[in-house]
Structures are given as structure tokens and as C-alpha cells.
Amino acid sequence: PQTAADAAGKIKVGSNWIENSVYKVTLNADGDICSIVDKRVGRELVKEGEAIGLSVFSNNKSIRWPAWEIRKEVMDREPSKVNGQTVISCEYCGPVKAALRVERKYGESSFVQRIVLSNGAADDRIDIENEIDWQSRGSLLKASFPLAFDCSEASYDQGLGNVRRGNNTDIQYEVIAHQWADMTANDGSYGVTIMNDCKYGWDKPSDNTLRLTLLHTPFVEQFHSYQQSMDLGRHSFTYSIMGHSGELDPARADIESDKLNQRAIAAIAAKGARGARQVSLLASSNPAVRVKAVKKAVDGNGYIIRGYEQSGKGASAQISFLSTISSASVSNGIEEDMAEATFSGNSLTVDAKPFSLNTFRILCNESRQTAPAYTGLELPYNEVGISTDSFSAFGHVDKDWHSYAAELLPQTLNFRGVPYSFGRADFKNVVLCDGQKLALPEGTKTVHLLVASTGGEKTATFNAGTDVDAHVGCFSGFYRYNAWADIHEAEQHEGNVAYVGSHRHGAYTRNEAYVHTYMFYLDIPVAAGSNELTLPSDKEIVVFSATAE
């Protein structure tokens, strides 16, 4: 809640400008940002005579790899401005948020941008929200940020740390960054962090300019001609500008970009049982040691905490939890315990090397659980459905002699806490269903299955005391995809996917790249007193693994 008096004068909008307590942003007649004044230090951020705006590079030619390839000769051209039929208006102005709306055209493409400032929240962040209907074939779209200071090296977020790169060269000119890139003046007096919520390619053509790649529709002469319609259609994304005095603080850049990418959710809630207005699952005492993920352990035994050191200098921290820690261990990426970790009370001690990734398994006094008892069922394998490269010709999961790639499968797959084991590759290792009966351990309440259909999507009947009609998804192809102009409409199939393989094996072609394979999970309830599961009488239904609970 905020009174009108509290908000009065803190956020304002004019015909071509918007202002809050931190910034005043001014647009030119083209709808580009020609001025940003940081009122905290009285500093202009935009290079005189230039503007932050959208640039289109035409004849976006690709020689061989259009989906991945942006050529420097394209980026070195003088781009065209997006400035056709420009209309600037105030979309809204409330006590906590205001936005200028900019509508423009470029050829057949249309653009709507909102320049958004807030009052009382992310005041030091300028959000540029984009809604684009992109119809410009053979073109590359970038956002250009010409700044009012020189920076010989920009910093780029790598998710687990950051790297510094200079200006474009003939062989190094497109740099990946996850959630932010930063340009700080060579004298360290001031800098600008540019954050985004879904765009990851940047280039730096000069000491004062950074550019973010937004849309890439290549002109294709020969290979992969279908990719010349990439990115055509509607897009919605946001990038943000945040000024800072002094040198880059990577911890702050990470936190602020997380706020952009993981938007806060507002809710009205009753006061918690703890009587506190604020409760945190965990907290780090040092912002240089950030917790990147918290998840339940795959085997159900405690929680996995993954953090990293992001200053590049090394740091120590105490990570505190809501509950007292009963045990803690250093783990690896596949959740194997490697060594004991140091803890006391509800705090875990972390000594992190520069840019290091650190994983821990934590058990708290309030999180001890009894893991369910699972028993893998012996299956009457009758066909080779999983093969190695060397023996892909043996695969016969479907009538056209395809099989699943063994190199993509673990020996045991843990999914939703349930372990699934697979048969030996290149030998009979799947069941083509024909009414087989599987004996169940006494007391089984549920049978968990990994299945697929080689005859398209089907309904199959399983029986563990009662008939259960289950939807079984197709073993290969595309499970879902977005619309692709000139190629296909959007499509989504039913099914609970437990496994996706990035390629499949063929008897004659061996590895069939980008032809996906799937396994779907089914949970079949077992009626009281039943001691067997009857599989469907349909050889196009394939069972890969079965686990009794």
C-alpha cells in the first residue's frame, strides 16, 4: 500500500520522455533512446549524437550453417534503422510504474516497445519490453547500445562466472552471455549492465558500443534452405539497462538479472505459523557465494544445494537453513557423496575457489524421510530395442528396424524418485507386448512403467486386478514443437515424458541425428489381492522397464 502523497512527483511521463527518482529517459523522433541521465550522479549514459535503438542488417547471408552462423561481413555493414511510421505515446502512468509506448514499422515487420520505469521497486532498472511481428527475410536484428564512455573490454555472464572480451576481430565477433553483459569505463568511474530474459549473443564493434542479437533470419543459398524462415513470426522479450557507479559488481549484476528472469509473484497470505513477516528457505552470508539451485535429491535422501563463486577471487560463506542440519556431504554433479562437509547448527560452511561450482547434500532434522521400497521387475525381453553404434543393425523396436541409442541411456534411470533399470544393450532388452503376465512382489500397490508405442499414439489396456486404459505416446518424431513459418504449424502430443533421446539408431543409417526417441511413464494401480500385471495384447506397445512399489 502506498498513499498518493508518497508517490507524488516520483514518476512522470511526457510526450517523449519518462522519469523516476533515478533516471530521466528521452526519446528522439525515431523512437530511439537519445538520452539517459543518471540523476544520482548527474551523468549522461548515451553517446552524443547517437541513440539506443534497433538495427537491421540486410542480406544476412549464410554459407553453410545458417542456424548457427552470423557472418562478420554482415555485422560490419551500416545497418538500417527501425523508424517507419513511428508513434510515441504514454501507455500507462501509475504510482508505482509507468511506460512509454513506441510503435514502429520496418518493411513488413512491426514493432512495439515499452520503456518502463518503476517507483519503489526496481527503480535503478530501465526495462525495454518488446513485442515484434518479424517478417523481414534475410535479415538480422540487433539492439545497439552506444554509451558515453570508452570501454576496451566488456564483461559477459557465463552462468557460473564471467569472461572479459575486447572489440570484435575477424575471427571473434559474437560472444555468448547468459543473463547480462557489462561495459565499465576504462577509468572505472561508471558502468552500464545490460540484462535480458532470453537473448544470448552479443558483439562489441567499438570501444563505446555493445550490441545484443535479437532475431536471425538468414539468407540461404544451398544447404538447409528450410532455415531461411527461422525467427519469422511473433516474439516477446525484455532487455534492461542498469547504470552503476564504480567498477562492475558481478554479484549485484547476477542478483538483478535474476530478478528480471525470475519475476516476483505477489500474493496476499495469512501470517505464518512462525510469526515472521519474512521467511527464507536458505541464505548465504556472502553475496560472492550464490546458491544457484535447491532440489530434492534424486534418491529422496535430503536436498541437493548447488552454488558457485562468482567474483573470480574466491570466497567463504555460511549458508544457513530454516532447520538444524543433521548431516552434510560434498557431492558431485550426479549426486554421489564424495566427502564430509563442515556444518554447525543450521549453517553450512563453504570455502569456494574462484568461479568454482560447489554441490552439497543436506539432511535437516525436519527433512528426514523414509524412502519408498522399490523392486525392479524381471521382464520377458523378446526384442532388441536398445543398441550401441556398433550393433545398430540389430535394433528392431519397430517394423522399420529402428532402436534407442544405448550411449544416451544410463544403466538405471531415476525419474520422479523411481528407479528404472534397462536390459543389456544389443541383446533382447525390451518387451513387445503380447498379453504377457508379470509376477508382482507381495504387497505391491503400484507398478511404474516406461513405455512407448511404435504405431503412433495409442490407448493400451493394462490389468493388475482391474483394467486400466492408458494413453501411450509415440516412440519417435516430435513430441511437441512451435510453429515454424513455411515449415509446419505448432503441434503438441499427449503423454507423460520420462526420457528424451536426441537421436535414434537405424539399421542402415546408424545415427539418425535430431530424430528424437521417447519413453513415457505410466503408474498402474494394483488392486488388493492381485499378484500379477497383464500387459496389453498389442506388439506395437513397448515396455522398457518396470518397477514395483
Side-chain angles (χ1 to χ4, degrees), residues 434-457:
D434 193 19
Q436 298 94 328
K437 298 182 183 296
L438 307 182
L440 302 178
E442 184 177 352
T444 299
K445 295 181 179 179
T446 305
V447 179
H448 305 280
L449 300 172
L450 293 183
V451 301
S453 166
T454 61
E457 295 181 81

Side-chain angles (χ1 to χ4, degrees), residues 398-424:
D398 68 340
K399 63 182 180 181
D400 294 321
W401 292 80
H402 292 112
S403 56
Y404 286 64
E407 62 269 24
L408 301 179
L409 279 168
Q411 185 58 46
T412 300
L413 172 69
N414 282 284
F415 181 74
R416 297 166 71 228
V418 179
Y420 296 94
S421 296
F422 299 104
R424 184 180 176 186

